[in-house]
Every structure is written in C-alpha cells, then in structure tokens.
C-alpha cells in the first residue's frame, strides 16, 4: 500500500505538532523518497477515536514501515482486540493475551508537547498514562528526528512509571 505524501509543506514545514487534534509529524523532506514519522496522542473520547495514544507511524520511499492497523470490523472479537487495542505500537502493561488486559482502556487520555521543531532537528513528547486507567502514573513517549544530510535518524524512547511493579 503506497503512502500519501500530500500535506501542505509551505504551511507546516518539516516538523509540526497540531495539539488540538493530537498529531505530530517529523519528516526529512517532501519528495517521494523522504521519510515521514507521525506520533498520535490526544485527549478526546469521541466515538471515532482509537485506543492508540502514543502510537506512531513511519514511512519512507512511499511505503509504510510501521502503519496504523485501524479497525477491521465492529464485532467485539479477537480480531477487533488486535486492531483496536494491542495491534497499535503502544505499551502493553502486565498483558494477558486472551483478554487484551493491559492494553489501553480509555479513548483519549493523551496529549502532545513540542519541544523543538526545525527542519534539521525535532523533538516532541506524547503523554498517555491516563489511557491506561490506573495502571500507569507516567507514560511519556519521546520522539526525536535528527535530519542529517547524509543519513537521517529517528529515536523513540519511553519513560514509564507505576505505583507498583509491572511488566511492560
């Protein structure tokens, strides 16, 4: 599946955070061979929102390397659990495979903060502890882009905390 690359480059540049919808993007450029990284974290509980706070997508050369699985159906079965909760690249806490326990339980509960946004370096943080009910007291996903001319780099690291011992 090819990746659309048709965002308004003159409006948002190579890096932006749109706090009102909880989307952040960092890109190496605007050609079909450039790399796009997107981070999702918002605080809306509206019906169409997903259990995907602090998830990311990344694509390069017109192809997705990490994509968003979306929803496949509206029947509450194992496929729905995968696509809606555990199929996103978020943290699973004390995860129980057969019940999707330990995945996000609240739609929304997140937010994005931009730390530095420039064409050559970008840094943003998604915070989504509230998406897990009482399981986590902190879930910050840090995303960094170093857009070096010869070789761009992306770094993602998570800062997690809970009031008790957990497995992640």
């Amino acid at each position: 599946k090819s990746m659309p690359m048709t965002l308004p480059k003159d409006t948002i540049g190579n890096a932006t955070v749109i706090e009102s919808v909880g989307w952040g993007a960092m890109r190496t450029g605007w050609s079909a061979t450039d790399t796009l990284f997107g981070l999702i974290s918002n605080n809306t509980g509206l019906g169409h929102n997903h259990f995907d706070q602090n998830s990311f997508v990344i694509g390069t050369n017109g192809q997705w390397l990490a994509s968003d699985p979306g929803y496949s159906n509206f029947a509450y079965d194992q496929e729905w659990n995968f696509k809606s909760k555990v199929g996103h690249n978020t943290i699973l806490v004390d995860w129980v495979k057969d019940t999707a326990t330990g995945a996000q339980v609240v739609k929304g509960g997140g937010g994005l903060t931009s730390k530095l946004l420039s064409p050559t370096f970008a840094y943003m943080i998604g915070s989504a502890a509230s998406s897990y009910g009482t399981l986590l007291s902190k879930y910050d996903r840090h995303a960094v882009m170093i857009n070096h001319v010869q070789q761009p780099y992306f770094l993602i690291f998570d800062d997690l905390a809970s009031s008790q011992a957990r497995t992640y």
Side-chain angles (χ1 to χ4, degrees):
K1 184 172 165 181
S2 67
M3 180 179 66
M5 300 284 258
T6 58
L7 295 174
K9 63 183 176 183
D10 294 333
T11 305
I12 65 173
N14 281 19
T16 191
V17 168
I18 306 169
E19 292 179 30
S20 60
V21 294
W23 282 64
M26 300 183 284
R27 55 189 318 126
T28 58
W30 289 86
S31 75
T33 59
D34 279 306
T35 302
L36 165 68
F37 175 92
L39 182 62
I40 302 163
S41 199
N42 62 60
N43 194 27
T44 178
L46 296 176
H48 190 72
N49 205 355
H50 295 194
F51 296 102
D52 63 351
Q53 303 310 304
N54 279 2
S55 70
F56 66 89
V57 295
I58 188 166
T60 190
N61 291 315
Q63 298 294 315
W64 289 115
L65 301 176
S67 64
D68 187 313
Y71 284 159
S72 62
N73 61 40
F74 293 98
Y76 294 95
D77 57 16
Q78 289 295 352
E79 185 177 357
W80 187 87
N81 270 336
F82 176 79
K83 295 257 183 168
S84 69
K85 290 189 175 192
V86 301
H88 293 93
N89 49 32
T90 60
I91 296 298
L92 298 174
V93 182
D94 299 333
W95 187 47
V96 178
K97 182 178 180 181
D98 294 334
T99 63
T101 302
Q104 294 180 8
V105 295
V106 175
K107 289 184 178 182
L112 280 178
T113 305
S114 58
K115 293 297 185 180
L116 178 63
L117 303 174
S118 79
T120 56
F121 183 85
Y123 174 34
M124 59 185 67
I125 301 171
S127 299
S130 296
S131 300
Y132 291 84
T134 60
L135 289 176
L136 296 176
S137 56
K138 184 177 193 178
Y139 173 22
D140 288 347
R141 176 159 278 178
H142 300 259
V144 177
M145 175 186 72
I146 302 168
N147 193 7
H148 189 270
V149 174
Q150 294 176 342
Q151 178 66 50
Y153 296 92
F154 291 87
L155 173 67
I156 304 165
F157 62 96
D158 295 324
D159 187 4
L160 305 162
S162 176
S163 61
Q164 64 188 55
R166 302 260 182 216
T167 58
Y168 305 103

